[in-house]
Amino acid sequence: MTARTARAKKRLELLRQMIRIRRFEERCVELYSATAIRGFLHLYTGEEAIAAGVMQGIGPEDQVVSTYREHGHALARGLPMDSVMAEMYGRLNGCSRGRGGSMHLFDAGRRFYGGNAIVGGGLPLAVGLGLATAMNHRPLVTVCLFGDGAVSEGEFHESLNLAALWRLPVLFCCENNLYAMGTALHRAQSQTDLALHAASYGMPAWPVDGMDVLAVCEAVDKAVESLRGGAGPHFLELHTYRFRAHSMYDSDRYRDRAEIDRWKERDPIPFLSRIMAAEDGFDPAETAAIESEVDAEIESAVAAAENGELEPVEELTRFVYSERS
């Protein structure tokens, strides 16, 4: 096999990350169906290009604020799969000590500040983080990911207004998958071009094909370079689609099956694989080797979760009340 170019290596890593996320989510479906994972479960299947593309464009010191559909964001950010799976199980060795579960993944060391169950709840947090870095003159970027449903929330407009007013280094990434739970975008927004909402606050904003990881990379790299140059907040409207229902509790009766099938034709994983085969000499058979490696990682994570301990009952109020020094 000839040596891969830097471009080919980057694309291979993007492909690997998307496969990791997809296989992890598929395994979570099995575990949820077997009642090993309990509570709410919001899957990222179909949206993997955004997580992989966004996280490649920022550094380890930059900050990320996510949503309740954040497994893919967390894995692409570098949270160990063991700690993410253990959190799904509610075990002490989870990234949030088993207290958060699926919707509240958190890792301060990797600057991953949630996992937030409240729709749009991460937006004010991102503004606060951006303000703190600006006041301390630190050249950091804060990335805030949220869904199209958050655009209907008051904090969306308050947060974008303040970020623009104070020229904060925040990259707002709207994952527009066309449905806020079961409500289609056109039923909730008179202006469905969400980038225009952000542009009205005087910040650079543009739409991106969120099913094309290379397009996501290009947009994020451009925005981050501008942010680091002091240009103030930017907004990316990432057009995507979730292949599964809003959550495992959702009967998904509000979408036409033909619509889902049309979007699956644009699956980001085989889309990138075809580009790599055409431009980088990638052999699609290599995908099987990646999947095998990922499956082994997942089974190791499941074993770590199943062998993890539950938090002792006597410690349930720890971190709830202040502790005496």
Side-chain angles (χ1 to χ4, degrees):
M1 181 185 298
T2 58
R4 298 186 191 275
T5 64
R7 183 186 72 176
K9 289 179 180 178
K10 178 180 178 179
R11 290 178 175 182
L12 184 63
E13 177 57 23
L14 291 169
L15 181 66
R16 190 181 75 86
Q17 286 291 5
M18 290 195 293
I19 291 174
R20 284 181 75 233
I21 296 168
R22 176 70 58 87
R23 303 291 273 201
F24 180 88
E25 297 292 62
E26 290 172 346
R27 190 72 172 95
C28 283
V29 171
E30 298 173 2
L31 294 168
Y32 189 91
S33 300
T35 70
I37 295 175
R38 309 297 293 273
F40 285 96
L41 184 67
H42 303 84
L43 301 170
Y44 201 61
T45 311
E47 302 184 27
E48 297 89 353
I50 297 176
V54 169
M55 298 308 162
Q56 65 78 39
I58 59 176
E61 294 300 313
D62 292 323
Q63 304 165 128
V64 179
V65 180
S66 186
T67 70
Y68 49 75
R69 197 183 306 279
E70 87 280 33
H71 312 156
H73 303 156
L75 292 172
R77 182 55 176 164
L79 272 69
M81 190 179 287
D82 285 6
S83 73
V84 175
M85 185 63 81
E87 189 61 35
M88 309 288 276
Y89 270 69
R91 300 301 169 91
L92 196 58
N93 53 328
C95 58
S96 300
R97 296 175 59 87
R99 291 175 173 237
S102 170
M103 294 192 286
H104 298 96
L105 305 178
F106 190 96
D107 190 322
R110 291 176 174 81
R111 307 292 194 271
F112 189 83
Y113 301 117
N116 293 277
I118 299 172
V119 174
L123 287 155
L125 299 179
V127 171
L129 288 166
L131 178 61
T133 57
M135 292 178 68
N136 286 289
H137 306 290
R138 303 184 67 196
L140 304 180
V141 169
T142 298
V143 174
C144 181
L145 296 122
F146 53 93
D148 52 282
V151 177
S152 298
E153 300 290 332
E155 59 261 50
F156 170 84
H157 301 279
E158 296 161 353
S159 297
L160 267 64
N161 179 61
L162 286 177
L165 188 64
W166 296 334
R167 296 182 64 80
L168 300 180
V170 178
L171 176 57
F172 295 101
C173 295
C174 178
E175 297 182 303
N176 181 3
N177 62 25
L178 300 180
Y179 291 91
M181 294 184 69
T183 303
L185 179 65
H186 71 272
R187 292 181 178 273
Q189 296 291 334
S190 59
Q191 174 53 268
T192 57
D193 186 339
L194 302 184
L196 289 180
H197 289 255
S200 71
Y201 290 103
M203 69 178 69
W206 66 94
V208 181
D209 183 356
M211 305 300 278
D212 179 352
V213 69
L214 301 181
V216 176
C217 289
E218 181 180 359
V220 171
D221 290 348
K222 176 182 176 181
V224 168
E225 181 181 7
S226 184
L227 280 159
R228 295 202 197 281
H234 284 51
F235 182 100
L236 301 179
E237 181 186 356
L238 300 146
H239 292 281
T240 187
Y241 198 82
R242 51 176 168 79
F243 293 166
R244 286 188 170 271
H246 170 72
S247 73
M248 289 295 289
Y249 280 105
D250 181 10
S251 59
D252 202 14
R253 296 179 180 176
Y254 46 84
R255 301 190 298 182
D256 184 73
R257 185 70 214 182
E259 177 185 285
I260 301 173
D261 290 340
R262 284 196 302 272
W263 277 91
K264 283 187 174 181
E265 292 175 0
R266 300 184 57 208
D267 190 318
I269 295 175
F271 181 80
L272 177 60
S273 181
R274 288 193 295 269
I275 292 175
M276 292 169 63
E279 299 180 2
D280 303 323
F282 176 73
D283 183 354
E286 292 183 63
T287 302
I290 297 173
E291 291 176 341
S292 178
E293 175 189 322
V294 168
D295 287 345
E297 182 186 12
I298 291 172
E299 292 314 307
S300 175
V302 171
E306 292 182 344
N307 291 324
E309 298 180 359
L310 295 171
E311 189 167 30
V313 173
E314 57 270 19
E315 291 194 11
L316 290 182
T317 59
R318 189 182 177 194
F319 309 117
V320 177
Y321 301 103
S322 59
E323 298 180 357
R324 293 179 180 179
S325 58

